Amino acid sequence: MSDVPRDDGLDAHALRVVKAIADTGSITAAAQALGYSQPAVSQQLRRLERRSGLPIVERVGRGVRLTEAGWVLARHAATVTTALDAAAGDLAELRGMRAGRVRIAAFPSASSTVVPRVIAALSARRPGVSLSFVEAEPPEAIAAVREDRADIALTYSFPGDRREQLDSAATGLSVRTVGGDDTVVVVPADHPVAGDDPVDLSRLAGERWIAGCPQCRGHLLEACGRAGFTPDIAFETDNYVAVENLVAQGVGVAILPGMAVASLPLVAGIAVPRLPVAEARTLHVVTARGAERVPAVGAALGIVDEVLVDHPRPAPGRRGRAGAAE
């Protein structure tokens, strides 16, 4: 018996439907998310199953779930829809339009330093572009790009982090290094290391420490380990202002990213001398592959590069208002 030719053609609507089912967990919720009727979504699925010759969803109790074939399509959907957005953006440019959208996810210290400048510049240059921003630590920001909830993720890694961990988390995505960010020690203004540049971390071996987010805590442990000691972590908070106030009250010392201390005036009574350059964190931009071809996203990426060239960095020996500048 001869094989019957099969139409394996896929279309964007079908891929969006499959991805919406993966994201929401049901046909009804997918229809609501896409603004379609439930019968229309079901019809798209039946057509896709006929074309592929494979089941895309299967019944489980009163609901449905994606089959292995369905998950394969869902994984490719973000890349495909990004490419289609790029094509649509190119056509819009040819028509003289300045439309599109850019969705940014970035870590907290960037949200008060880099991101506002990026948004302001993009709004001025591309007033027709729709902009959105969500604050997220690197794992969540990368997941947002993978799940097509963000176009650009601004992330970071510390010296002790393995690059393969970042590459694994961003498998199938584009990862580009875009700059660095100094790391500083937060100490009382009258501390013996307050005027050092850079600080020898081993001089703080006997201090009590304030740790931050999980990734920052990991860096603290790694950095102190390289300096030959294990830090005595007495307090934990990822609130930068709280860290500065705790240090000002003399209850401990801390390590913070330069962007964090550059985002607000220093609390009185503290100093933020820098650690050696080897302890600086590296900044990365994560996008779907080919996202730079989407005109609005490409413009935003260019502005990110511009902003990071001269983002604020702490001056050596910088002190809070209670101390004189070094």
Side-chain angles (χ1 to χ4, degrees):
M1 190 170 84
S2 63
D3 291 335
V4 177
R6 180 180 297 123
D7 177 9
D8 287 324
L10 300 175
D11 62 77
H13 291 303
L15 287 175
R16 293 184 194 277
V17 164
V18 174
K19 186 177 184 305
I21 294 173
D23 292 341
T24 64
S26 75
I27 291 177
T28 300
Q32 292 174 343
L34 295 170
Y36 299 161
S37 67
Q38 185 172 336
V41 169
S42 298
Q43 184 179 12
Q44 285 274 7
L45 286 173
R46 288 193 296 271
R47 183 182 301 118
L48 182 57
E49 289 179 332
R50 285 197 304 271
R51 288 177 171 178
S52 66
L54 293 168
I56 304 301
V57 297
E58 57 187 1
R59 290 286 173 185
V60 180
R62 301 178 63 182
V64 299
R65 67 183 178 194
L66 292 180
T67 62
E68 183 177 358
W71 282 112
V72 167
L73 293 177
R75 286 197 301 271
H76 287 283
T79 300
V80 172
T81 55
T82 295
L84 290 172
D85 287 344
D90 286 344
L91 292 176
E93 291 289 300
L94 288 174
R95 290 194 300 267
M97 295 175 61
R98 294 295 182 268
R101 70 176 184 184
V102 179
R103 300 163 298 168
I104 301 172
F107 52 91
S109 56
S111 69
S112 53
T113 52
V114 174
V115 173
R117 296 173 63 191
V118 170
I119 291 176
L122 188 59
S123 296
R125 299 180 196 180
R126 299 289 183 105
V129 170
S130 171
L131 291 165
S132 66
F133 166 66
V134 62
E135 186 175 278
E137 291 289 356
E140 292 77 22
I142 293 172
V145 172
R146 182 180 303 284
E147 296 165 9
D148 197 26
R149 294 183 285 109
D151 303 300
I152 297 172
L154 186 58
T155 71
Y156 62 83
S157 60
F158 284 113
D161 299 341
R162 296 181 178 179
R163 176 58 193 248
E164 57 264 30
Q165 292 175 331
L166 173 63
D167 291 339
S168 176
T171 299
L173 303 176
S174 171
V175 181
R176 184 168 60 92
T177 297
V178 291
D181 185 31
D182 292 328
T183 303
V184 302
V185 177
V186 187
V187 295
D190 59 357
H191 195 284
V193 307
D196 291 358
D197 182 39
V199 171
D200 179 353
L201 203 54
S202 65
R203 295 184 63 192
L204 298 168
E207 301 284 353
R208 291 192 301 173
W209 288 83
I210 304 159
C213 69
Q215 198 164 351
C216 296
R217 178 191 175 98
H219 176 235
L220 171 62
L221 293 170
E222 292 265 358
C224 292
R226 285 189 286 272
F229 69 96
T230 299
D232 173 16
I233 298 177
F235 308 97
E236 295 188 40
T237 176
D238 56 7
N239 183 317
Y240 303 136
V241 177
V243 169
E244 292 187 9
N245 277 285
L246 287 168
V247 173
Q249 293 301 316
V251 300
V253 298
I255 288 176
L256 284 180
M259 281 186 181
V261 299
S263 62
L264 293 167
L266 286 185
V267 168
I270 67 171
V272 287
R274 288 183 289 205
L275 285 175
V277 173
E279 294 298 339
R281 64 180 177 176
T282 303
L283 306 180
H284 312 278
V285 162
V286 179
T287 64
R289 289 178 178 172
E292 71 281 355
R293 301 201 316 270
V294 180
V297 176
L301 291 171
I303 292 170
V304 169
D305 289 342
E306 293 174 16
V307 169
L308 287 176
V309 166
D310 63 344
H311 77 81
R313 297 191 174 194
R318 183 178 169 209
R319 294 173 181 264
R321 294 183 299 278
E326 294 291 324

